[in-house]
Structure formats: C-alpha cells, structure tokens
Amino acid sequence: MTHAVSLTRYLVEQQRAGGLIPSQLRLLLEVVARACKSISLAVNKGALGGVLGTAESENVQGEIQKKLDIIANDVLIEANEWGGHLAAMASEEMEGIHLVPNRYPQGEFLLLFDPLDGSSNIDVNVSIGTIFSVLRKPEGPGVSEQDFLQAGSKQVAAGYCIYGPQTTLVLTVGAGVAMFTLDREQGSFVLTHEHVRVPEDTQEFAINMSNMRHWDAPMRRYIDECLQGKEGPRGKDFNMRWIASMVADVHRILTRGGVFMYPWDKREPEKAGKLRLMYEANPMGWLIEQAGGAATNGSQRILDITPGKLHERVSVMLGSKNEVERLRSYHEAAR
Ligand code: AHG
Ligand code: MN
Ligand code: MN
C-alpha cells in the first residue's frame, strides 16, 4: 500500500537526503504553507466572509489595495513573526521591511512575498495566489533593507500557492519543483507532482495583447510571427491565454508548457516593467528554471539581476526554453 506524502514528510526527507533544508528553513516553509491554507479558506468564503472588494488604501506602488491584499499580508506576517526562523520580511503591500519584533528570537532567513497575486481577479472568482521567496540574511548584526538586495540566484527556497479549483502549493528548494494539493478533509498539503518539467517547445503564449502598440520592436516581432501561424516564419499555429494572475499563468506553463511575457512598454518608459523583481519575477524565474525552462528580461537572466531596491520592477519573459531563447535573441538582434 502506498501512503500519501505530506508536505511535512517531503521536507523532512529533503532535509535528510540532500541536506538542502536546515531545520529553520523547514519550519519557515511549514509556516508559509499554514498561512496559505488560511488565505485559501478566506478566498473560498468570498462574499460570505466579507473579504471581497476594495480597501480604502493604496500600497507603495500606488495601486488601490483590495481587502484580500491586506488580509493575506496580515496572515503571512502574523504567522511568520514568532517562530524564530526569520530576521525580517518584505512584501508588495509594505513600503519598508518588517522586522521580527524584539520579543521574539531572530532567525537567519529573510522572507519576501506577494501576498495576493492577481488582485483584479479576486472579485470575479478567477484563480489568484501567493508568491514567496526566501533568502539567507548576510552575516553581521541587525538587518536592513540592503540585506534583501540579493540576486535571485541566491534564493534558498521559492514557491507559490494557487487558489483555484484546487489549492496547490508549488515549491523549490533547489532540487527540482514539487506540487502539493491541499486535502481539505485532512487539512494538509499532499505531494501530487514531483520532478515537474516544462517542455522546451510550445505553441502557446501569454501576454496582455491590449498593450501591443506600446511594446518595443523585438516584442512586436515575436508576437507578430506567432500570430502569422502556419503561413508565417514559425510555420505553426499558436494559441493564446492571459489570466492576469501571474500565478495562474505560470502554473499552466509548469503543467503543460508555454511562454509568459510582461515586457517593458512605452506607457511608463522609466519603469523597467510592471512586475516586481524580488517577489514576483525571481521566485517564478527560479521555479521555471528548476523545471528546465528559462527566464530573461530580454538581455539578462532574471536570476542574475542584482536589485537596486526592494520594489524594483523588471521586464519578464519566462517559460519553455526555446521560446525564451528566441525572445532573447530578437532583443539582442535589435540592440
Ligand atoms: P498583483 O495583483 O500582485 O498586483 O499582480 C498582478 C500582476 C500579475 O499577476 C499579472 O500577470 C499582471 O499583473 C496582470 O496585469 P494586467 O492587468 O496589466 O494584464
Ligand atoms: Mn503580483
Ligand atoms: Mn499582489
């Protein structure tokens, strides 16, 4: 008889076998998973739980916050403050870093998160998620924002939880990608997919086409060639999906391949892109790479970018390796 493998057991086995997870990191991931369970319950209650709609506030990015953005942020902070595994946290919804209060022991890790990704989908009952990234705090006393400004290649764990028809936690600690589905009766995440692989080729792309007129030439060239289908230079037809929740688009790509793009565009030329490097692009980029895909900003591997600030933005192209390479080469050819 085979037994279901819980997230707890998976993490214990990773700790034993690969020595990949020190016990503080194991605790951290368990706590993040527990917080996601609680966010999942709030999401499921929807209007019955009074969690839909807009809050009366703006975040540091100048975006109107939804009630659930704030609820999810509070749940993650409250869950992670007291365990002794963290030195500090950073979130899309908070301007500065959040230190672990003095009354609790300080740990050696830093946690970054997008508490609720896909906010525009909350009220319309479409999949949303939580994205997280874990870094090690550099040696030395205290903790500052500077300690967070590490390239994505320094991540020690990353993942997301998607609140869709199923609630699924997707995780990497640097030894491939594993997926855990929430068993609501048991109240635990159960391993449902290991050694996730993104096919190297795809005929499916994800981009917000309404921004086409604002893109730069290499981006237009790539999409234009896809749209020409069988009769064009690519010699094959392409399909398109755009969910407007990065978690949901990335989850589809991890499941059946594809390429996701949110490129720089002319609407706000001084911004590198819409998505945030440290708690959106880095964790998703690492997951995709761990599954055999690639992630670039057009000129550089996302994980090699050294962030200049906490809420830094970045142009994002990630997914099936050969498509991402093609995008990179079109950008290179245009320089
Ligand atoms: P968030 O809800 O955390 O602000 O992120 C939304 C992001 C991302 O999830 C999605 O891919 C993209 O914004 C959608 O943007 P458009 O509405 O411009 O298509
Ligand atoms: Mn987001
Ligand atoms: Mn968000």
Side-chain angles (χ1 to χ4, degrees), residues 47-328:
L48 299 176
V51 301
L52 303 186
T54 303
E56 314 260 284
S57 50
E58 257 186 20
N59 67 11
V60 58
Q61 344 265 342
E63 299 159 346
I64 303 284
Q65 290 177 304
K66 300 279 184 176
K67 284 184 191 160
L68 216 48
D69 288 322
I70 296 172
I71 293 168
N73 194 61
D74 290 350
V75 166
L76 280 156
I77 293 207
E78 198 281 324
N80 278 287
E81 262 185 350
W82 48 268
H85 51 286
L86 281 184
M89 293 174 250
S91 161
E92 181 191 351
E93 304 302 337
M94 300 186 296
E95 184 161 6
I97 63 170
H98 180 94
L99 301 178
V100 166
N102 283 336
R103 60 186 181 278
Y104 301 123
Q106 283 221 349
E108 56 187 289
F109 292 102
L110 304 173
L111 174 66
L112 295 110
F113 45 83
D114 174 354
L116 210 293
D117 176 68
S119 300
S120 72
N121 283 324
I122 298 170
D123 293 352
V124 292
N125 204 355
V126 171
S127 297
I128 49 182
T130 297
I131 312 175
F132 61 92
S133 163
V134 185
L135 295 165
R136 200 178 283 278
K137 185 182 98 64
E139 298 281 317
V143 55
S144 68
E145 190 165 319
Q146 188 63 33
D147 293 334
F148 282 78
L149 305 182
Q150 306 179 41
S153 57
K154 297 274 171 55
Q155 292 172 105
V156 294
Y160 63 82
C161 186
I162 178 168
Y163 314 115
Q166 302 104 46
T167 287
T168 305
L169 185 85
V170 179
L171 177 69
T172 186
V173 290
V177 177
M179 297 185 175
F180 304 84
T181 305
L182 180 60
D183 180 332
R184 288 184 192 281
E185 282 77 45
Q186 301 285 344
S188 64
F189 282 102
V190 177
L191 181 65
T192 42
H193 199 165
E194 226 180 336
H195 312 302
V196 172
R197 298 307 289 170
V198 176
E200 290 187 358
D201 292 296
T202 183
Q203 290 177 234
E204 194 162 69
F205 66 84
I207 195 165
N208 186 335
M209 288 289 294
S210 68
N211 297 325
M212 188 164 193
R213 69 191 185 286
H214 305 298
W215 299 337
D216 59 13
M219 202 60 241
R220 280 164 181 258
R221 175 184 171 194
Y222 176 79
I223 294 297
D224 190 53
E225 289 181 2
C226 291
L227 296 179
Q228 290 179 56
K230 265 202 188 83
E231 293 76 33
R234 300 298 308 273
K236 57 183 186 181
D237 289 334
F238 279 79
N239 187 28
M240 194 197 88
R241 289 285 185 277
W242 183 250
I243 302 176
S245 292
M246 189 191 201
V247 273
D249 281 312
V250 167
H251 194 70
R252 185 189 59 257
I253 291 171
L254 284 172
T255 307
R256 70 176 188 210
V259 58
F260 169 95
M261 294 150 285
Y262 211 121
W264 170 90
D265 72 44
K266 281 186 251 167
R267 285 173 300 171
E268 293 185 281
E270 71 292 348
K271 288 187 182 156
K274 174 179 180 180
L275 298 178
R276 278 58 52 113
L277 174 62
M278 298 207 66
Y279 40 81
E280 291 179 318
N282 275 343
M284 292 314 208
W286 196 31
L287 284 166
I288 290 285
E289 281 196 5
Q290 281 289 312
T296 180
N297 67 357
S299 61
Q300 205 180 357
R301 178 183 173 225
I302 298 264
L303 298 190
D304 285 338
I305 300 171
T306 304
K309 55 181 188 191
L310 206 51
H311 299 287
E312 183 158 320
R313 293 172 190 261
V314 65
S315 177
V316 177
M317 298 155 211
L318 56 77
S320 291
K321 207 177 196 157
N322 293 337
E323 292 303 309
V324 175
E325 172 50 26
R326 180 178 287 270
L327 277 156
R328 194 205 56 76

Side-chain angles (χ1 to χ4, degrees), residues 36-48:
C36 290
K37 229 187 284 180
S38 153
I39 297 168
S40 175
L41 287 173
V43 168
N44 287 158
K45 286 214 167 74
L48 299 176

